[in-house]
Amino acid sequence: MIKTHNTSWKVKKVIINFNQKQWRQDFGAYVRDKLNWYGIVKVSKANKVLDIDTKAKSSKTFEVYNDNGNSVVVHFQNNNEIIGSTNETLVKQYFKERGLN
């Protein structure tokens, strides 16, 4: 059987998905640059939230933090719908610069 290789693909818009590691890392790099954090900045895994108040079934949270104790926590559902954050303006700027909202 002959293996074929595509040299072109159909155009499609990239959708932010915080369940994927690269999007959390991208947001972490954005936070580091905007807040002028120096040193090592890390991003946690997306963890499920067991909260009775939120009606979201797929509610998750992740944290961007550095060695100095600074952190930004993002609470999201359905891959990219932000429910809350410790820095709402920073999240809104991120979505605006990435072409969403």
Side-chain angles (χ1 to χ4, degrees):
M1 181 184 276
I2 298 173
K3 188 173 184 179
T4 60
H5 296 281
N6 291 338
T7 58
S8 61
W9 295 267
K10 292 181 183 177
V11 176
K12 68 178 185 177
K13 188 173 182 173
V14 176
I15 299 172
I16 294 174
N17 182 352
F18 287 126
N19 281 327
Q20 296 176 349
K21 179 176 133 182
Q22 68 265 19
W23 284 107
R24 292 191 306 271
Q25 287 177 324
D26 183 57
F27 180 73
Y30 182 81
V31 169
R32 181 190 62 215
D33 294 341
K34 291 297 181 179
L35 298 180
N36 295 322
W37 286 356
Y38 298 103
I40 298 172
V41 177
K42 297 181 181 180
V43 180
S44 69
K45 290 183 176 182
N47 299 314
K48 289 184 180 179
V49 177
L50 300 174
D51 190 7
I52 299 171
D53 294 336
T54 59
K55 297 177 182 176
K57 294 179 182 177
S58 61
S59 176
K60 294 184 178 182
T61 185
F62 71 93
E63 180 180 13
V64 179
Y65 57 94
N66 67 1
D67 293 338
N68 296 329
N70 301 322
S71 69
V72 174
V73 178
V74 178
H75 189 174
F76 68 98
Q77 67 182 2
N78 301 331
N79 300 333
N80 65 0
E81 295 175 20
I82 302 299
I83 298 173
S85 174
T86 56
N87 194 332
E88 294 282 338
T89 57
L90 191 63
V91 173
K92 288 179 183 177
Q93 288 175 354
Y94 176 76
F95 274 93
K96 187 175 181 180
E97 288 186 20
R98 294 300 183 258
L100 294 173
N101 297 352

